[in-house]
Amino acid sequence: MAKLSEAQTTWLEGVFGERFTTRRVERKLYSHDVGEMPSMIKPLIGTPLADGVVQPASEAELVALVQWAVQEGIPLTPRGKATSGYGGVLPVKGGIVVDFFRMDKVLAVDAEAQTATLEAGIVWEKADRELKKHGLTLRTYPSSYPSATAGGWLAQGGAGFGALEAGWFCDNVVSARVILGDGSLGLFEGDDLDMIYEAEGITGFITQLTIKVMPDLPLEIMSLGCAEAHSLQYMLEGFLSADMPIWSMHFINPQMAKMKNQAPLQTHQGHATEHRVTLPETYIVTIAFRQQDADHVRSAIAARMTSPQCAAELLSDEIAQHEWSQRFRIMTVKRLGPSLVPAEVVVPLAGLGATLSEIEQKVGQPVVKEGVMVRHGRNPKGEPEVVILGFIPADQRKFTYNFVFPLSLTIARIAEKHGGRPYATGLYYTKMADKILGAERARVLKEFKRKADPAGILNPGKVLGNALISNALIVANAFEPLLRPFGNAVMSDVGEKLPDKPVRGIPADVAWYAYACSQCGYCVQECDQYYGRGWESQSPRGKWYWLREFMEGREKWDQFMVDTILVCTTCELCNLRCSANLPIEPSWMKLRGQLIEDEGRMTFPPFEMMAAALTDQGNIWAGYRKERDAWFPEDLKEKHGAGKKAKAVYFAGCTASYVEHDIGQASVRLLDAAGVDFTYVGKKENCCGTPMLVAGKWEVFAETMKKNIAAVEAAGADTVITSCPACNMMWRHAYPEWAKKLGIEYNITAK
């Protein structure tokens, strides 16, 4: 049970209504991020669990919440989309998680000044979509553009695509409105932004930010291949010294290219929906520049590549376009893990070659890396820097994950040796704040925290905190040379290897996908089940995480979670959005049959009504079977009506038969006018069965399918023509699959 008192709960319900919850499943789903700590380290942070989750819809509501929390002494943890893995959104002191999901608007666009004011909870992809309506676009954005929020990136700090020209994100922020720890509202500009940038909400909650934007001009893309790390550094330094008008430059390492080649493609109905582009296993540098600068940039790059020290080659346009279109899918390789140990660092460009080479020498596990170039770094001299997003494939379900995890410290030590630093502080690296933020800035930030949040309720334990885990990582860092051989000795097992059998009843492939899910959140924003209800339990990533908890024995099925699987509309947008190309919707379909058919759990009452009508009268609209063919045009009955033999059957479906007669009538008249020889099975036609399939009532579906196949064969047909997309999907995809499963001969083509 949540620790909130009855009076506190009453106040929160009064202010936020249905935008406040204490439901256990939501509290759990809002109490983790994309990272996964090893089992031996987890006890150091306990099991963070919020006491409640609120979703403010306005700045005024957030002010009221903070003022109330100060009076009640309740910790508040801000949450954008939780796309980082440093523990910055973990509610380690319990209290309330503040979800910014509903504060997601573009408030103003100034085309002349080239600025835009955004609410903190807006996702970058949505913000960019709105800007493009004004002929503008973002100067820079993170690699998690489809899910990360504007306020979250300001609080976390970072650099992304476009950073070569635009710099770190903080360099592109004009101002920010922030609610401080006493409930007052402050406006931060210029150097004062340092008090909230990378502070992860410990000094105040960002509600709005005004950022610099730029004209939306066409880009051109090219990719280069470079075999060796020092040659890569030399080439990048040459490009910067030539001062080319390049907007963005990023690269992947050979191991990332290798794993991308191995990763499964996106599929639909079991068929690949994209072309495999085989990448050379080299450092692949992808460069984006404005079309208006194309001649200058291409000629300048060609000139640099003639140098014998460059050792680079121009890659095909197919590879360049592929790498650019896939730039947000860095997590594609996670499906081969199925887990990833994060190792994210920032290094000066001058130390890039040495850093990459030493990582290859000292880390025996495969390390996949993506690097983003920043022309003007945040180091004292403003020299060029490279943000390296590194990951080590592993399997969190195995005890050996505990040995692989410390290799992230090896990578951090190597980066520091060559003038670098860890990427962020969060919860885990609070003891390294002086190195990450700079000693003087950390001191000033700590002093400001005392003034801005005297009660210590804003995101406690982060950035400047004293968490046990941070202390432990400092100790582990000291013993890193002793820990490294254990991590290197673990046999790497990269590749999609499904369990041999179900896990607690979860089908083997679905069990693997649950862990392969990167929790990146790309599926969340566009999921109509999520945005219609607004809670993580309704999102694909929320369901994947809950399945992990279930398989590990920490959760049990109840009707609420059964309903979350059933209520999915099967639109399949999640499949298109998934950064790991997981077959999400087909996985929910498998679970529906297991839950409803095999385990006898309840489906929705309307589905039961449909099943009763289908079993009795052959349709889901509760119409009488004797009226199923009433729509068929009288003047076509003799030529195409029931009882006639033909090689093709028009299958009307329930909606055309009982509700929208004009669909069926128009269809058969078109077929007749086109000279198609077809027939109609009339009252022998049944519902295609789609509702029973999605309801999990698979026995009813199978019996219905058998009747329809028999009716078509009795008409002498081998082709079914439909005007309903659901009917087409059944005859084209589901019926062949189920016929094979049930041992039924199926020789019917769908059109």
Side-chain angles (χ1 to χ4, degrees), residues 24-79:
R24 175 181 164 80
V25 65
E26 306 299 353
R27 293 191 289 123
K28 176 170 282 193
L29 294 178
Y30 283 87
S31 298
H32 74 93
D33 61 15
V34 300
E36 183 59 38
M37 295 301 297
S39 57
M40 293 176 66
I41 298 180
K42 278 185 178 179
L44 298 177
I45 60 173
T47 305
L49 186 63
D51 299 316
V53 184
V54 298
Q55 296 177 336
S58 67
E59 189 177 76
E61 283 188 347
L62 195 50
V63 166
L65 175 66
V66 173
Q67 292 175 342
W68 171 83
V70 170
Q71 294 175 354
E72 300 291 328
I74 294 178
L76 300 176
T77 302
R79 182 184 175 97

Coordinates of all heavy atoms in Angstrom, one line a residue, residues 24-79:
R24 N -1.0 0.1 -7.8 CA 0.3 -0.4 -7.6 C 1.1 -0.6 -8.9 O 2.3 -0.3 -9.0 CB 0.3 -1.8 -6.9 CG 1.6 -2.5 -6.8 CD 1.5 -3.9 -6.1 NE 2.7 -4.6 -6.4 CZ 3.9 -4.5 -5.7 NH1 4.0 -3.6 -4.8 NH2 4.9 -5.3 -6.0
V25 N 0.4 -1.1 -9.9 CA 1.1 -1.3 -11.2 C 1.6 0.0 -11.8 O 2.7 0.0 -12.3 CB 0.1 -2.0 -12.2 CG1 -1.1 -1.2 -12.6 CG2 0.9 -2.4 -13.5
E26 N 0.9 1.1 -11.6 CA 1.4 2.4 -12.2 C 2.5 2.8 -11.3 O 3.5 3.4 -11.9 CB 0.3 3.4 -12.2 CG -1.0 3.0 -12.9 CD -0.8 2.7 -14.4 OE1 0.3 3.0 -14.9 OE2 -1.7 2.3 -15.0
R27 N 2.4 2.7 -10.0 CA 3.5 3.2 -9.1 C 4.8 2.4 -9.5 O 5.9 3.0 -9.5 CB 3.2 3.0 -7.7 CG 2.0 3.9 -7.2 CD 1.8 3.9 -5.7 NE 1.3 2.6 -5.2 CZ 1.9 1.9 -4.3 NH1 3.0 2.2 -3.8 NH2 1.3 0.7 -3.9
K28 N 4.7 1.1 -9.8 CA 5.9 0.4 -10.2 C 6.4 0.8 -11.5 O 7.7 1.0 -11.7 CB 5.6 -1.1 -10.2 CG 6.7 -2.0 -10.6 CD 6.4 -3.5 -10.4 CE 6.6 -3.9 -9.0 NZ 6.6 -5.3 -8.8
L29 N 5.6 1.0 -12.5 CA 6.0 1.4 -13.8 C 6.6 2.8 -13.9 O 7.3 3.1 -14.8 CB 4.8 1.2 -14.8 CG 4.3 -0.2 -15.0 CD1 3.1 -0.2 -16.0 CD2 5.4 -1.1 -15.5
Y30 N 6.2 3.6 -13.0 CA 6.8 5.0 -12.9 C 8.0 5.1 -12.0 O 8.4 6.2 -11.7 CB 5.7 6.0 -12.5 CG 4.7 6.3 -13.6 CD1 3.6 5.6 -13.8 CD2 5.0 7.4 -14.5 CE1 2.7 5.9 -14.9 CE2 4.1 7.7 -15.5 CZ 3.0 6.9 -15.7 OH 2.1 7.3 -16.7
S31 N 8.5 3.9 -11.6 CA 9.6 3.9 -10.6 C 10.8 3.3 -11.1 O 11.7 2.7 -10.4 CB 9.1 3.2 -9.3 OG 8.1 3.9 -8.7
H32 N 11.0 3.3 -12.5 CA 12.2 2.7 -13.1 C 12.6 3.5 -14.3 O 11.7 4.3 -14.8 CB 12.0 1.2 -13.4 CG 11.2 1.0 -14.6 ND1 11.7 0.9 -15.9 CD2 9.8 0.9 -14.7 CE1 10.7 0.7 -16.7 NE2 9.5 0.7 -16.1
D33 N 13.7 3.3 -14.9 CA 14.1 4.0 -16.1 C 14.6 2.9 -17.1 O 14.3 1.7 -16.9 CB 15.2 5.1 -15.9 CG 16.5 4.6 -15.3 OD1 16.7 3.3 -15.3 OD2 17.3 5.4 -14.8
V34 N 15.4 3.3 -18.1 CA 15.8 2.3 -19.1 C 16.9 1.4 -18.7 O 17.2 0.4 -19.3 CB 16.2 3.0 -20.4 CG1 15.1 3.8 -21.0 CG2 17.4 3.8 -20.2
G35 N 17.6 1.7 -17.6 CA 18.7 0.9 -17.1 C 18.2 -0.3 -16.3 O 17.1 -0.3 -15.8
E36 N 19.1 -1.3 -16.2 CA 18.9 -2.4 -15.4 C 20.1 -2.7 -14.5 O 21.1 -3.1 -15.0 CB 18.5 -3.6 -16.3 CG 18.2 -4.9 -15.5 CD 16.9 -4.7 -14.6 OE1 16.0 -4.0 -15.0 OE2 17.0 -5.3 -13.5
M37 N 19.9 -2.6 -13.2 CA 21.0 -2.8 -12.3 C 21.2 -4.3 -12.0 O 20.3 -5.1 -12.0 CB 20.8 -2.1 -10.9 CG 20.7 -0.6 -11.0 SD 22.2 0.1 -11.7 CE 23.4 -0.4 -10.4
P38 N 22.5 -4.8 -11.9 CA 22.8 -6.2 -11.5 C 22.2 -6.5 -10.2 O 22.0 -5.7 -9.3 CB 24.3 -6.2 -11.5 CG 24.8 -5.0 -12.2 CD 23.7 -4.0 -12.0
S39 N 21.9 -7.8 -10.0 CA 21.2 -8.3 -8.8 C 22.0 -8.0 -7.6 O 21.5 -7.8 -6.5 CB 20.9 -9.8 -8.9 OG 22.1 -10.5 -9.2
M40 N 23.4 -8.1 -7.7 CA 24.2 -7.9 -6.5 C 24.3 -6.4 -6.1 O 24.6 -6.1 -5.0 CB 25.6 -8.4 -6.8 CG 25.7 -9.9 -7.0 SD 27.4 -10.4 -7.5 CE 28.3 -10.0 -6.0
I41 N 23.9 -5.5 -7.0 CA 24.0 -4.1 -6.7 C 22.6 -3.5 -6.3 O 22.5 -2.5 -5.5 CB 24.6 -3.3 -7.9 CG1 26.0 -3.8 -8.2 CG2 24.5 -1.8 -7.6 CD1 26.6 -3.1 -9.4
K42 N 21.6 -4.1 -6.7 CA 20.2 -3.7 -6.5 C 19.9 -3.4 -5.0 O 19.3 -2.4 -4.6 CB 19.2 -4.6 -7.0 CG 18.9 -4.4 -8.5 CD 17.8 -5.4 -8.9 CE 17.4 -5.1 -10.4 NZ 16.3 -6.0 -10.9
P43 N 20.4 -4.2 -4.1 CA 20.2 -4.0 -2.6 C 20.7 -2.6 -2.2 O 20.1 -2.1 -1.2 CB 20.9 -5.1 -1.9 CG 20.9 -6.2 -2.9 CD 21.1 -5.5 -4.2
L44 N 21.6 -2.0 -2.9 CA 22.2 -0.7 -2.5 C 21.2 0.4 -2.7 O 21.3 1.5 -2.1 CB 23.5 -0.4 -3.2 CG 24.6 -1.4 -2.9 CD1 25.8 -1.1 -3.7 CD2 25.0 -1.4 -1.4
I45 N 20.2 0.2 -3.7 CA 19.2 1.3 -3.9 C 17.9 0.8 -3.5 O 16.9 1.5 -3.5 CB 19.2 1.7 -5.4 CG1 18.8 0.5 -6.3 CG2 20.5 2.3 -5.8 CD1 18.6 0.8 -7.7
G46 N 17.8 -0.4 -2.9 CA 16.5 -1.0 -2.5 C 15.6 -1.2 -3.7 O 16.0 -1.4 -4.8
T47 N 14.3 -1.0 -3.5 CA 13.3 -1.1 -4.5 C 12.5 0.2 -4.6 O 11.5 0.3 -3.9 CB 12.3 -2.3 -4.3 OG1 13.1 -3.5 -4.1 CG2 11.4 -2.5 -5.5
P48 N 13.0 1.2 -5.3 CA 12.3 2.4 -5.4 C 10.9 2.3 -5.8 O 10.6 1.6 -6.8 CB 13.1 3.2 -6.5 CG 14.5 2.6 -6.5 CD 14.2 1.1 -6.2
L49 N 10.0 2.8 -5.1 CA 8.5 2.7 -5.4 C 7.8 4.0 -5.0 O 7.8 4.3 -3.8 CB 7.9 1.5 -4.7 CG 6.5 1.2 -5.1 CD1 6.4 0.8 -6.6 CD2 5.9 0.0 -4.2
A50 N 7.2 4.6 -6.0 CA 6.5 5.9 -5.7 C 5.2 5.5 -4.8 O 4.7 4.4 -4.9 CB 6.0 6.5 -7.0
D51 N 4.8 6.5 -4.0 CA 3.6 6.3 -3.3 C 2.4 6.8 -4.1 O 1.2 6.4 -3.7 CB 3.6 7.2 -2.0 CG 4.8 6.7 -1.1 OD1 4.9 5.5 -0.9 OD2 5.5 7.6 -0.5
G52 N 2.6 7.5 -5.1 CA 1.6 7.9 -6.0 C 2.2 8.6 -7.3 O 3.4 8.9 -7.3
V53 N 1.4 8.8 -8.3 CA 1.8 9.4 -9.5 C 0.8 10.5 -9.9 O -0.4 10.2 -9.8 CB 1.9 8.4 -10.7 CG1 2.5 9.1 -11.9 CG2 2.8 7.2 -10.3
V54 N 1.2 11.7 -10.2 CA 0.3 12.7 -10.6 C 0.8 13.2 -12.0 O 2.0 13.2 -12.4 CB 0.3 13.9 -9.6 CG1 -0.2 13.5 -8.3 CG2 1.7 14.6 -9.5
Q55 N -0.2 13.8 -12.7 CA 0.1 14.3 -14.1 C -0.5 15.8 -14.1 O -1.7 16.0 -14.5 CB -0.6 13.5 -15.1 CG 0.0 12.1 -15.2 CD -0.7 11.2 -16.3 OE1 -1.9 11.4 -16.6 NE2 0.0 10.2 -16.7
P56 N 0.3 16.8 -13.7 CA -0.2 18.1 -13.8 C -0.4 18.5 -15.3 O 0.2 18.0 -16.2 CB 1.0 19.0 -13.3 CG 1.8 18.0 -12.5 CD 1.7 16.7 -13.2
A57 N -1.4 19.4 -15.5 CA -1.8 19.8 -16.8 C -1.4 21.3 -17.0 O -1.6 21.8 -18.1 CB -3.3 19.6 -17.1
S58 N -0.9 21.9 -16.0 CA -0.6 23.3 -16.1 C 0.5 23.7 -15.1 O 0.7 23.0 -14.1 CB -1.8 24.2 -15.9 OG -2.2 24.1 -14.5
E59 N 1.1 24.8 -15.4 CA 2.1 25.4 -14.4 C 1.5 25.7 -13.1 O 2.1 25.4 -12.0 CB 2.7 26.6 -15.0 CG 3.9 27.2 -14.3 CD 4.5 28.4 -15.0 OE1 3.9 29.5 -15.0 OE2 5.5 28.2 -15.7
A60 N 0.3 26.2 -13.1 CA -0.4 26.5 -11.8 C -0.6 25.3 -11.0 O -0.5 25.4 -9.8 CB -1.8 27.2 -12.1
E61 N -1.0 24.2 -11.6 CA -1.2 23.0 -10.8 C 0.1 22.5 -10.2 O 0.1 22.0 -9.1 CB -1.8 21.9 -11.7 CG -3.3 22.0 -12.0 CD -3.8 20.8 -12.8 OE1 -3.0 20.0 -13.3 OE2 -5.0 20.7 -12.8
L62 N 1.2 22.7 -11.0 CA 2.5 22.2 -10.5 C 2.9 23.1 -9.3 O 3.5 22.6 -8.3 CB 3.5 22.3 -11.6 CG 4.8 21.5 -11.4 CD1 4.6 20.1 -10.9 CD2 5.6 21.5 -12.7
V63 N 2.7 24.4 -9.4 CA 3.0 25.3 -8.3 C 2.2 24.9 -7.0 O 2.8 24.7 -5.9 CB 2.6 26.8 -8.6 CG1 2.6 27.6 -7.4 CG2 3.6 27.3 -9.7
A64 N 0.9 24.6 -7.2 CA 0.1 24.1 -6.0 C 0.7 22.8 -5.4 O 0.7 22.6 -4.2 CB -1.3 24.0 -6.5
L65 N 1.1 21.9 -6.3 CA 1.6 20.6 -5.9 C 2.9 20.8 -5.0 O 3.1 20.2 -4.0 CB 1.9 19.7 -7.1 CG 2.6 18.4 -6.7 CD1 1.6 17.5 -5.9 CD2 3.0 17.7 -8.0
V66 N 3.8 21.6 -5.5 CA 5.1 21.8 -4.8 C 4.8 22.5 -3.5 O 5.4 22.1 -2.5 CB 6.1 22.7 -5.7 CG1 7.3 23.0 -4.9 CG2 6.5 21.9 -6.9
Q67 N 4.0 23.5 -3.5 CA 3.7 24.2 -2.2 C 3.1 23.2 -1.2 O 3.4 23.2 0.0 CB 2.7 25.4 -2.4 CG 3.4 26.5 -3.2 CD 2.4 27.6 -3.6 OE1 1.2 27.4 -3.6 NE2 2.9 28.8 -4.0
W68 N 2.2 22.4 -1.6 CA 1.6 21.4 -0.8 C 2.6 20.4 -0.3 O 2.6 20.0 0.9 CB 0.4 20.7 -1.5 CG -0.1 19.5 -0.8 CD1 -1.1 19.5 0.1 CD2 0.2 18.1 -1.1 NE1 -1.4 18.2 0.5 CE2 -0.6 17.3 -0.2 CE3 1.1 17.4 -1.9 CZ2 -0.5 15.9 -0.1 CZ3 1.2 16.1 -1.9 CH2 0.4 15.3 -1.0
A69 N 3.5 19.9 -1.2 CA 4.5 18.9 -0.8 C 5.5 19.4 0.2 O 5.9 18.7 1.1 CB 5.2 18.5 -2.1
V70 N 5.8 20.7 0.1 CA 6.7 21.3 1.1 C 6.0 21.3 2.5 O 6.6 20.9 3.5 CB 7.0 22.8 0.7 CG1 7.7 23.5 1.9 CG2 7.9 22.8 -0.5
Q71 N 4.7 21.6 2.5 CA 4.0 21.6 3.8 C 3.9 20.2 4.4 O 4.0 20.0 5.6 CB 2.6 22.2 3.6 CG 2.6 23.6 3.3 CD 1.2 24.1 3.0 OE1 0.2 23.3 2.9 NE2 1.0 25.4 2.7
E72 N 3.7 19.2 3.5 CA 3.5 17.8 3.9 C 4.9 17.1 4.1 O 4.9 15.9 4.6 CB 2.6 17.1 3.0 CG 1.2 17.7 2.8 CD 0.4 17.5 4.1 OE1 0.6 16.5 4.8 OE2 -0.4 18.4 4.4
G73 N 5.9 17.6 3.6 CA 7.2 17.0 3.6 C 7.3 15.7 2.7 O 7.9 14.7 3.1
I74 N 6.7 15.8 1.6 CA 6.6 14.7 0.6 C 7.6 14.9 -0.5 O 7.5 15.9 -1.2 CB 5.2 14.5 0.1 CG1 4.3 14.1 1.3 CG2 5.1 13.4 -1.0 CD1 2.8 13.9 0.9
P75 N 8.5 13.9 -0.8 CA 9.4 14.1 -1.9 C 8.7 14.1 -3.2 O 7.7 13.4 -3.4 CB 10.3 12.8 -1.8 CG 10.1 12.4 -0.4 CD 8.7 12.7 0.0
L76 N 9.2 14.8 -4.2 CA 8.7 14.9 -5.6 C 9.8 14.5 -6.5 O 10.9 15.0 -6.5 CB 8.2 16.3 -5.9 CG 7.0 16.8 -5.0 CD1 6.7 18.3 -5.5 CD2 5.8 16.0 -5.1
T77 N 9.5 13.6 -7.4 CA 10.5 13.1 -8.4 C 9.9 13.4 -9.8 O 8.9 12.9 -10.2 CB 10.7 11.6 -8.3 OG1 11.2 11.3 -7.0 CG2 11.8 11.2 -9.3
P78 N 10.6 14.3 -10.6 CA 10.1 14.6 -11.9 C 10.4 13.5 -12.9 O 11.4 12.8 -12.8 CB 10.9 15.9 -12.3 CG 12.2 15.7 -11.5 CD 11.9 15.0 -10.3
R79 N 9.5 13.4 -13.9 CA 9.7 12.3 -14.9 C 9.2 12.8 -16.2 O 8.0 13.3 -16.4 CB 8.9 11.1 -14.5 CG 9.0 9.9 -15.5 CD 8.1 8.8 -15.0 NE 8.1 7.7 -15.9 CZ 8.9 6.6 -15.9 NH1 9.7 6.4 -14.8 NH2 8.8 5.6 -16.7

